[in-house]
Amino acid sequence: MTSISEEIKTLESPIDVMYLMHKAYMIHSNRTVSLAEKAMSGGSLTELQANLEGWLKHLLYHAQTEDIYMTGPLKDIEHQDGRRPARDNEKEHDELRLLGGGIADYVEKGDKGALSEDIAALVLSREEEEHANLVHKAENAERALHQALGEARVVDRTRRRLYQKIVEFQVTEFDHFENEEAFVLPLVKGQMSAEQELECSRRLLFDDDSETTRWIIDFIYNELESGERELLKQLESSFSGPAPT
Amino acid sequence: MNSVYSLSDKQSMICVQASLLYEALTARLETIYDRLVDQIEPGGVREFENHFNNWISVFLFFSDQTQRYFSPIVKPEQSLSLQDLNFDEGKTCISNLDLINELGMDEMTVDIIPLVQDILNVVADEIGKTQLIPRTKRHLQRGLLRLKTKIVDYGDVLHTITFPLIQTSSIESDVDARSGFLQDQDADEKDWVIEWMRESLSETGILALESILDGISRNN
Ligand SMILES: [Fe+2]
Ligand SMILES: [Fe+2]
């Protein structure tokens, strides 16, 4: 699997750009996790939020493009343990979308996020009561809990949980990268023609629907070491420019 | 040696002992987590499992003791529901007792045991392997983090809601002063938890522990 500490020295095939991309994303994830850790001891949320948004934006584009241009055209196989690489890959993307969306919602709730979450769980566990009544009382319970714990503890609790959510997201992401590299890339190499593979790689690196088509590839360049940037440059030179839409 | 906690303190002896045991549990969990993240666990999964199993034993003891000592105080005769809570429009008038019961916070094991089990499941999948592969490490880290978060949340409630409630109850009595909260009456080695705490607490924590044990033995 891609490792942050090891330099990628060759790309045997265009789809191997995945290793460079995953590495860049892993570096960014690690940075975001560090910011979330600092936020627990009073660090600013602004930089964390910006990093988190970037993480989600890239991962959403990456997953969507893979679903359409990578696993979409593949003929799936079934391993002895029941794993179906292409479909399982798409399911893992769905899980990432769900987790990522959950974090974005949580951040929007601000410093009371953890309490709101606790109270929402409480409401869900009490199905027998009339909903409106329950919500009203749960809000009172939230106020009481807030009062008992005090402002500082409420903020700490929210940030602790944000850190936990971000680490959980990272673990799911790294597991996914590992699975994709081990099970999907061999299928891509076995089934796609050289042109198809090149086009898939290009789509992963360039957003044809954006005014700034290079927002992905430029981000990847920024995260990599010089030797790896060279590999990416060579691959980029083999693209003939944006495909006609 | 000056006593950090003496019997003349207003603080409940049971709360002080529970608080120290809680402190030892969180400190040890932090150490297990740090060792895993920094990859200074030379024995791989087995080493991790040993430390974690010890931690679980103490945690279960802690959980049993809090149930035994705290439940009679924090559990009312009949269980309340949100319907029964005394709400006043516009202002909060939920007592600590109501809050604890409403949020189910006196039954911490209910929430925590599944998190412990998740970690044990990861370990079980790795039995026989001496090396911690990155994926296993990640999963253990995730499990421990969930556990840590839950326990710290619980500690907040313990210190800000449960303890004040116990201190205002009738437990500040002879029973409290002589309480052997940290002793395992069912074990051959009654002081095994105390020994474990001595290995886990900071220097200040150990001082407090020795002081309170001293106070209890003088009362018995
Ligand atoms: Fe990928
Ligand atoms: Fe993917």
Side-chain angles (χ1 to χ4, degrees):
Chain A
M1 135 133 211
T2 302
S3 154
I4 290 178
S5 53
E6 277 171 45
E7 190 186 343
I8 298 165
K9 295 212 164 85
T10 51
L11 300 186
E12 289 167 6
S13 178
I15 199 64
D16 283 348
V17 72
M18 197 65 82
Y19 295 112
L20 294 177
M21 298 189 81
H22 286 177
K23 182 171 178 175
Y25 293 151
M26 287 164 79
I27 292 169
H28 185 76
S29 305
N30 275 356
R31 192 164 45 231
T32 313
V33 167
S34 295
L35 288 170
E37 196 175 6
K38 284 196 193 112
M40 282 196 295
S41 44
S44 143
L45 283 185
T46 320
E47 201 184 348
L48 170 62
Q49 270 172 308
N51 271 264
L52 197 57
E53 277 166 24
W55 183 355
L56 293 176
K57 186 181 176 197
H58 275 278
L59 204 63
L60 288 179
Y61 177 89
H62 188 74
Q64 174 85 351
T65 309
E66 284 176 344
D67 286 351
I68 300 171
Y69 298 101
M70 186 174 75
T71 50
L74 290 180
K75 196 166 158 285
D76 214 357
I77 58 165
E78 189 167 343
H79 287 276
Q80 269 183 342
D81 62 359
R83 171 167 267 275
R84 300 178 75 229
R87 296 301 86 79
D88 288 352
N89 206 63
E90 287 159 8
K91 274 190 213 152
E92 287 172 14
H93 286 165
D94 287 340
E95 196 190 343
L96 283 166
R97 288 181 188 109
L98 199 69
L99 282 176
I103 296 176
D105 290 346
Y106 183 80
V107 170
E108 279 209 348
K109 290 200 185 93
D111 276 335
K112 278 198 330 178
L115 283 194
S116 311
E117 199 172 62
D118 287 339
I119 300 304
L122 185 69
V123 171
L124 273 179
S125 70
R126 304 290 174 89
E127 283 166 6
E128 77 277 5
E129 281 191 55
E130 194 234 317
H131 189 72
N133 197 22
L134 187 60
V135 169
H136 171 65
K137 290 180 172 179
E139 280 166 2
N140 275 333
E142 180 177 347
R143 258 208 312 277
L145 187 59
H146 197 147
Q147 206 168 56
L149 291 176
E151 192 64 33
R153 281 195 167 92
V154 170
V155 174
D156 285 353
R157 177 178 285 226
T158 298
R159 294 196 177 192
R160 237 180 356 252
R161 210 168 292 175
L162 177 60
Y163 176 68
Q164 179 194 318
K165 284 172 192 291
I166 289 176
V167 170
E168 286 174 350
F169 188 46
Q170 183 194 33
V171 170
T172 310
E173 180 192 55
F174 283 21
D175 282 359
H176 169 67
F177 287 165
E178 200 170 274
N179 290 341
E180 193 169 276
E181 290 167 16
F183 301 109
V184 178
L185 294 196
L187 283 192
V188 171
K189 290 174 186 177
Q191 293 183 23
M192 282 190 187
S193 68
E195 291 73 31
Q196 274 180 308
E197 214 186 297
L198 197 66
E199 173 61 4
C200 178
S201 307
R202 194 194 64 76
R203 294 265 185 187
L204 286 170
L205 292 164
F206 290 93
D207 182 356
D208 295 341
D209 296 330
S210 167
E211 281 179 17
T212 47
T213 54
R214 297 186 60 87
W215 66 272
I216 308 154
I217 192 167
D218 285 344
F219 168 86
I220 307 288
Y221 272 125
N222 266 331
E223 298 291 350
L224 298 175
E225 295 172 36
S226 62
E228 295 166 334
R229 280 203 294 270
E230 203 44 52
L231 293 175
L232 189 56
K233 217 178 251 175
Q234 282 167 20
L235 179 69
E236 192 187 346
S237 67
S238 61
F239 299 141
S240 47
T245 47
Chain B
M1 185 175 71
N2 288 329
S3 281
V4 178
Y5 298 100
S6 69
L7 294 184
S8 59
D9 281 346
K10 279 278 183 283
Q11 237 164 343
S12 152
M13 296 289 270
I14 291 177
C15 291
V16 176
Q17 291 175 80
S19 181
L20 281 172
L21 183 47
Y22 172 83
E23 195 181 316
L25 280 165
T26 47
R28 185 59 82 89
L29 195 59
E30 200 66 47
T31 308
I32 294 174
Y33 183 81
D34 289 346
R35 287 177 70 93
L36 178 82
V37 172
D38 299 338
Q39 260 181 332
I40 49 167
E41 204 61 274
V45 175
R46 190 178 297 171
E47 190 78 12
F48 173 85
E49 196 184 7
N50 285 341
H51 288 301
F52 191 55
N53 280 341
N54 286 337
W55 185 90
I56 296 172
S57 307
V58 179
F59 170 74
L60 291 176
F61 172 82
F62 175 73
S63 173
D64 282 352
Q65 294 297 78
T66 48
Q67 293 278 325
R68 182 179 302 163
Y69 284 86
F70 297 169
S71 289
I73 304 162
V74 298
K75 258 202 184 112
E77 307 262 301
Q78 75 215 32
S79 89
L80 293 170
S81 79
L82 277 172
Q83 297 277 17
D84 304 319
L85 291 178
N86 181 19
F87 287 107
D88 228 357
E89 199 60 53
K91 69 175 187 182
T92 306
C93 51
I94 307 176
S95 70
N96 281 1
L97 181 61
D98 290 345
L99 198 54
I100 282 178
N101 282 287
E102 189 44 51
L103 302 174
M105 283 165 181
D106 58 322
E107 291 160 2
M108 65 181 289
T109 36
V110 175
D111 285 345
I112 287 175
I113 291 299
L115 301 179
V116 169
Q117 192 55 53
D118 284 347
I119 298 173
L120 291 176
N121 290 344
V122 177
V123 171
D125 287 343
E126 298 299 308
I127 290 290
K129 295 179 194 163
T130 48
Q131 283 275 316
L132 259 185
I133 59 165
R135 195 181 184 102
T136 307
K137 197 185 118 180
R138 284 201 298 274
H139 293 179
L140 289 176
Q141 188 191 348
R142 175 176 59 190
L144 283 174
L145 190 60
R146 284 173 178 158
L147 184 57
K148 272 198 332 168
T149 308
K150 193 59 124 185
I151 291 209
V152 178
D153 282 359
Y154 175 71
D156 274 352
V157 172
L158 206 59
H159 288 97
T160 59
I161 305 177
T162 314
F163 288 168
L165 188 63
I166 288 168
Q167 276 155 13
T168 54
S169 75
S170 57
I171 199 157
E172 277 181 76
S173 65
D174 200 39
V175 179
D176 181 46
R178 298 190 299 140
S179 66
F181 186 93
L182 300 174
Q183 281 192 327
D184 187 350
Q185 300 302 338
D186 301 330
D188 291 340
E189 293 283 337
K190 291 189 178 20
D191 289 344
W192 68 274
V193 174
I194 294 170
E195 285 308 316
W196 185 88
M197 287 172 74
R198 287 187 175 119
E199 292 166 18
S200 309
L201 285 168
S202 64
E203 267 182 44
T204 326
I206 293 172
L207 268 180
L209 174 67
E210 301 304 345
S211 169
I212 199 161
L213 291 175
D214 194 44
I216 290 166
S217 77
R218 274 192 273 115
N219 274 275
N220 279 310

